[in-house]
Structure formats: structure tokens, C-alpha cells
């Protein structure tokens, strides 16, 4: 498939994107839009990215799935992003093409990857690989578009980056490019323009927004009005997250579906879950910063608890929330979910259990698999989600030399998006 579709992705690593020379190729003329707008069942009219997604789908730059869905919160791989770039921009090559060890000519994205490389949008790694199935980070998407379009920073980098409350999280190699992208209005941050979240894996909706803004900056499409586009006139950074805009009411605030709540795991450790685990895995997340209204009313305090469970869904693991518990004990029903995480790690016979446990929390199935492969059954109960007993599960893993586990990064994978409105009193 040549556009935004759902191929499995593996461990997200820092991508080596192009830092090549400026190009002066004339810009592509605006693309004609068809009369009928594409509408996806899981992208409602009030979704923050609806305009970006539907405009790109209408132009054939991104596609949905055969069932009429788009899956806006799923990750985007390097190959998928290369395919979108190829469809969106008709740029002349600025360097000779190259062959990557892990991109054979029979690979579905071979042509798109070759084009993205030769036009300067993307590069490979020093080891000669492209890693087409790796997920791409938000900062890397922005940097790729900035470099591929040949933009240069017109003002001091620090001035543009001051718009972001989390500017200190931007990798050094991406700071100039992100400053440039900010000046060119390429950056779209939902739910709060002040938070860039540069090291979080980009979702399909976010990539659609970045891509559309890049096309708009190049004069290929008309601008779309959105309160989440970062502009130099944005308000000064704040240490809280503002939901914009909740519905006005003297006694209630309605946070709409599609809003993402920033969360973190209770411990700063990686989470391992076995793909062979049948039942749900209970877990609790924490809201990681105060969420306030545009009038500065505190809506959800930091460290409120998001109660839910990890479930196996369509090729990955997903956290699905069922309740929001405030520090004062008040509890509300909550329908929200994380992205689908399908990043994996392999644990081999001979691995050191103490080292693994010191850096991770395990589901019962992951603990059983590690115990069976390594022969060490001394995993402490407090390091197992839900404190479930794993002894009865060990048999299904016995005799193996290795196991594959889903690997969840609590800092980038677990923000939850509302599937239904949340009404606060």
C-alpha cells in the first residue's frame, strides 16, 4: 500500500533524516479537489484533525481501511511516511539514489523510499539500513518536511522554540528544523499548541496535519483554520495543559471525544506484555500535568488516576480506560484508549532476570514466558501487573529458547484519547 495504512511497526529509534542542502525547484501547482469529501467512520466531524485528514484523503494522498475507518491514533512507519511524501510533493532529486540493505526491490515501499531519499526528505542509517517498519517520532516528521522543502530559519531559533513549554525535550539535531517549521506554521499540536511532545511517536492524524500544513506552506493547498496550529503569535508557554475549547456551561464542562489526555505509568519503567496473553491486564495510569480550561479553571488535577486495562487488539496491545479517579476520591466513568502498541522485543535464554525486572513491569504472561525461558522463577509479585500468579502459565512457554513480548514505553505510548465525551462538574 502506498499511503497511510497499517503495516506493523517495530521499535521506534532515532531516525537519521536528511539535513541536506536547500533546493530551489519551483513549487507544485495546487491540486484539484474532488466534489465529494471523504468521511471516515472513526473520524467524527468534531475530531480535531478532520479537516486535514479529509482534504488529504480527497486528494488521494492518504487512504483509510476497507471497512471505512482511518484509525487516526495508530502509529506511522518510516515507509508509510515516505509513501505519503512521494504523493504529496513532486520534487526534483537533489542527490543520487542509494540502495538500503533492508529495502529489497520487491518491498512495497521501495519506490517511495528511493524518492524520499533522493529528494532529501529522508535518509538511511550509517549501517546501510533504512528500517522501513520503525515508527516515526513527531520531531522527525517535522524535521523531514522542513528539510525536504528546503526551508531555512529566518529568525533566532530560541525565539520560535520559546512557544513550547517542553522545548527542553527537543533533540539537539532537530531544534533548528523545528524552529523553522514553527515559523512556517507547519506544526500542529493537539490538544495544547504549547506542548510539542517531540519524542512521542506520531499518529496517523498528526502526520496528516503536519503534511497538510507543509503543503499549504508550499502553496499547494488552501489553509485550514485550526486553533492547534502553532503560530508566532501564540500565548507564552505554560506548565499546565489547556483544553480548548470545552463547551460553556455554568455547572458542567464537556470535554469532547477526540481529546487526548496526557498520562504516564505509575513507575518510570518499561512495560512488557505477552502477545499470547488471552485476558485483560489491569493497570492504572496517572494524569501527568494539570489540565485547565481556557479561563484557567482547573479541570483535572495532575496525578488523577486513570483506571483501566491492557487488551490484545488487532496485532498489538492497547490500554483502555474505564474510570477517572480524582485525588479527592471522586470517580467518573471514562471511555478512552491509547494507541495500539505493536513494538516488540525478544527475550533469549540466558537473559538476566534481575536486570529485566529492575527496568520493567511485566504482565503475568510476560513473567511466565521469561521464567520459562530463563529458568528463573523468582520474579517478585510487585513487578507483575495486577500481582497475578504466573505459575499456571509457565507450561505454555516451556521448552522455548526465546519469547517475543510487546514493549511499551510509558513516556511515549500511553496518552489516552477520549472515545466519548467526558462531562465534568
Amino acid at each position: 500500500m502506498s499511503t497511510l495504512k497499517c503495516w506493523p511497526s517495530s521499535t521506534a529509534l532515532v531516525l537519521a533524516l536528511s539535513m541536506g542542502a536547500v533546493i530551489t525547484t519551483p513549487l507544485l501547482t495546487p491540486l484539484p479537489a474532488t466534489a465529494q469529501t471523504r468521511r471516515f467512520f472513526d473520524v467524527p466531524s468534531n475530531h480535531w484533525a478532520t479537516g486535514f485528514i479529509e482534504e488529504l484523503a480527497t486528494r488521494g494522498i492518504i487512504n483509510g481501511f476497507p471497512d471505512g475507518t482511518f484509525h487516526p491514533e495508530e502509529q506511522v512507519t518510516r515507509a508509510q511516511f515516505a509513501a505519503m511524501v512521494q504523493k504529496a510533493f513532486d520534487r526534483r532529486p537533489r542527490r543520487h539514489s542509494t540502495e538500503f540493505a533492508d529495502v529489497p526491490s520487491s518491498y512495497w515501499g521501495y519506490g517511495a523510499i528511493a524518492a524520499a531519499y533522493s529528494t532529501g526528505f529522508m535518509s538511511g542509517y550509517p549501517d546501510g539500513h533504512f528500517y522501513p517498519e520503525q515508527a516515526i517520532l513527531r520531531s522527525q516528521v517535522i524535521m523531514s518536511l522542513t528539510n525536504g522543502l528546503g526551508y531555512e530559519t529566518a529568525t533566532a531559533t530560541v525565539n520560535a522554540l520559546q512557544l513550547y513549554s517542553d522545548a527542553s525535550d527537543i533533540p539537539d539535531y532537530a531544534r533548528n528544523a523545528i524552529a523553522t517549521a514553527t515559523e512556517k506554521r507547519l506544526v500542529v499540536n493537539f490538544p495544547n499548541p504549547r506542548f510539542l511532545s517531540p519524542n512521542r511517536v506520531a499518529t496517523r492524524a498528526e502526520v496528516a496535519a503536519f503534511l497538510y500544513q507543509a503543503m499549504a506552506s508550499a502553496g499547494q493547498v488552501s489553509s485550514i483554520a485550526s486553533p492547534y496550529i502553532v503560530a508566532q503569535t501564540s500565548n507564552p508557554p505554560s506548565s499546565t495543559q489547556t483544553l480548548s475549547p470545552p463547551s460553556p456551561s455554568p455547572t458542567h464542562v464537556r470535554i469532547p471525544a477526540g481529546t487526548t489526555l496526557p498520562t504516564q505509568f505509575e513507575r518510570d519503567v518499561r512495560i512488557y506484555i505477552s502477545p499470547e496473553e488471552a485476558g485483560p491486564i489491569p493497570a492504572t495510569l496517572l494524569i501527568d500535568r494539570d489540565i485547565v480550561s481556557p479561563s484557567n479553571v482547573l479541570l483535572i488535577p495532575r496525578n488523577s488516576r486513570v483506571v483501566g486495562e491492557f487488551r490484545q487488539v488487532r496485532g498489538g496491545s492497547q490500554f483502555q480506560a474505564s474510570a477517572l479517579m480524582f485525588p479527592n476520591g471522586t470517580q467518573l466513568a471514562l471511555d478512552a484508549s491509547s494507541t495500539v502498541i505493536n513494538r516488540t522485543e525478544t527475550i533469549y535464554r540466558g537473559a538476566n532476570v534481575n536486570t529485566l525486572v529492575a527496568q520493567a513491569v511485566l504482565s503475568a504472561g510476560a513473567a511466565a514466558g521469561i521464567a520459562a525461558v530463563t529458568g528463573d522463577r523468582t520474579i517478585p509479585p510487585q513487578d507483575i501487573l495486577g500481582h497475578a500468579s504466573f505459575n499456571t502459565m509457565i507450561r505454555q512457554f516451556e521448552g522455548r529458547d526465546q519469547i517475543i513480548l510487546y514493549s511499551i514505553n510509558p513516556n511515549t505510548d500511553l496518552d489516552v484519547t477520549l472515545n466519548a465525551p467526558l462531562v465534568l462538574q
Side-chain angles (χ1 to χ4, degrees), residues 273-278 312 347 349 363-375 377 389-406:
I273 292 176
S274 170
E276 301 176 49
E277 206 140 11
Q312 310 291 38
I347 309 298
R349 184 174 298 279
S363 68
I370 291 173
V373 168
T374 64
R377 304 192 180 190
S389 172
F390 62 92
N391 291 324
T392 57
M393 303 179 65
I394 291 179
R395 291 183 180 178
Q396 72 185 82
F397 298 101
E398 287 179 341
R400 302 188 193 182
D401 293 324
Q402 64 185 50
I403 57 167
I404 296 175
L405 303 176
Y406 291 130

Side-chain angles (χ1 to χ4, degrees), residues 99-100 102-111:
E99 296 293 324
F100 297 105
D102 56 347
V103 185
S105 58
S106 59
Y107 182 69
W108 72 266
Y110 176 85

Side-chain angles (χ1 to χ4, degrees), residues 18 20-23 25 82 85-86 89-97 111-123 144-150:
S18 170
V22 175
I23 59 177
T25 305
V85 166
Q86 183 188 35
F89 303 103
D90 184 15
R91 315 295 285 191
R92 293 178 182 174
R94 68 167 76 168
R95 57 187 176 185
H96 295 297
S97 60
I113 291 170
Y117 175 84
S118 64
T119 54
F121 280 92
M122 301 182 75
S123 292
S144 172
L145 294 171
T146 303
N147 294 333
L149 292 174

Side-chain angles (χ1 to χ4, degrees), residues 39 44 85 107 145 155 173 189 222 230 236 249 256 258 275 321 329 348 351 363 368 373 379 383 402:
R39 176 61 58 84
V85 166
Y107 182 69
L145 294 171
T155 59
Y173 66 81
N189 295 335
S222 300
V230 180
S249 170
Y348 297 93
S363 68
V373 168
I379 299 174
D383 291 317
Q402 64 185 50

Side-chain angles (χ1 to χ4, degrees), residues 71-314:
H71 302 296
E73 301 305 319
E74 288 191 1
Q75 300 176 354
V76 177
T77 67
R78 281 167 58 80
Q80 292 166 355
F81 182 68
M84 289 188 294
V85 166
Q86 183 188 35
K87 288 215 172 215
F89 303 103
D90 184 15
R91 315 295 285 191
R92 293 178 182 174
R94 68 167 76 168
R95 57 187 176 185
H96 295 297
S97 60
T98 189
E99 296 293 324
F100 297 105
D102 56 347
V103 185
S105 58
S106 59
Y107 182 69
W108 72 266
Y110 176 85
I113 291 170
Y117 175 84
S118 64
T119 54
F121 280 92
M122 301 182 75
S123 292
Y125 286 85
D127 63 1
H129 290 71
F130 186 81
Y131 299 106
E133 298 301 322
Q134 285 182 359
I136 190 167
L137 305 183
R138 285 169 51 85
S139 61
Q140 294 157 356
V141 171
I142 298 169
M143 185 168 68
S144 172
L145 294 171
T146 303
N147 294 333
L149 292 174
Y151 289 149
E152 289 186 325
T153 304
T155 59
T157 299
V158 66
N159 292 336
L161 298 186
Q162 282 180 341
L163 297 175
Y164 304 114
S165 296
D166 53 356
S168 61
D169 294 337
I170 301 173
D172 290 340
Y173 66 81
R175 294 180 71 83
N176 286 338
I178 290 176
T180 302
T182 303
E183 294 166 357
K184 296 290 186 179
R185 295 175 62 88
L186 268 62
V187 182
V188 186
N189 295 335
F190 175 85
N192 186 352
R194 299 170 184 169
F195 286 91
L196 181 66
S197 301
N199 300 312
R200 180 167 57 76
V201 171
T203 67
R204 287 161 57 81
E206 291 169 340
V207 170
F210 291 146
L211 189 63
Y212 189 91
Q213 285 301 106
M215 294 174 66
S217 74
Q220 296 178 220
V221 294
S222 300
S223 298
I224 289 178
S226 170
Y228 307 112
I229 297 172
V230 180
Q232 292 284 13
T233 56
S234 297
N235 293 329
S238 168
S239 61
T240 60
Q241 176 182 356
T242 304
L243 291 177
S244 173
S247 59
S249 170
T251 58
H252 296 81
V253 172
R254 182 181 181 274
I255 303 176
T259 300
T260 299
L261 303 181
T263 61
Q264 61 185 9
F265 190 57
E266 294 177 296
R267 294 164 56 185
D268 187 18
V269 292
R270 189 164 293 273
I271 302 169
Y272 289 114
I273 292 176
S274 170
E276 301 176 49
E277 206 140 11
I281 304 156
T284 299
L285 308 179
L286 299 175
I287 298 293
D288 69 7
R289 57 180 175 266
D290 289 339
I291 297 176
V292 300
S293 70
S295 58
N296 208 34
V297 174
L298 180 63
L299 301 178
I300 304 176
R302 181 175 180 270
N303 289 332
S304 295
R305 303 170 75 83
V306 178
V307 180
E309 57 193 18
F310 287 98
R311 300 178 187 173
Q312 310 291 38
V313 296
R314 209 166 61 83

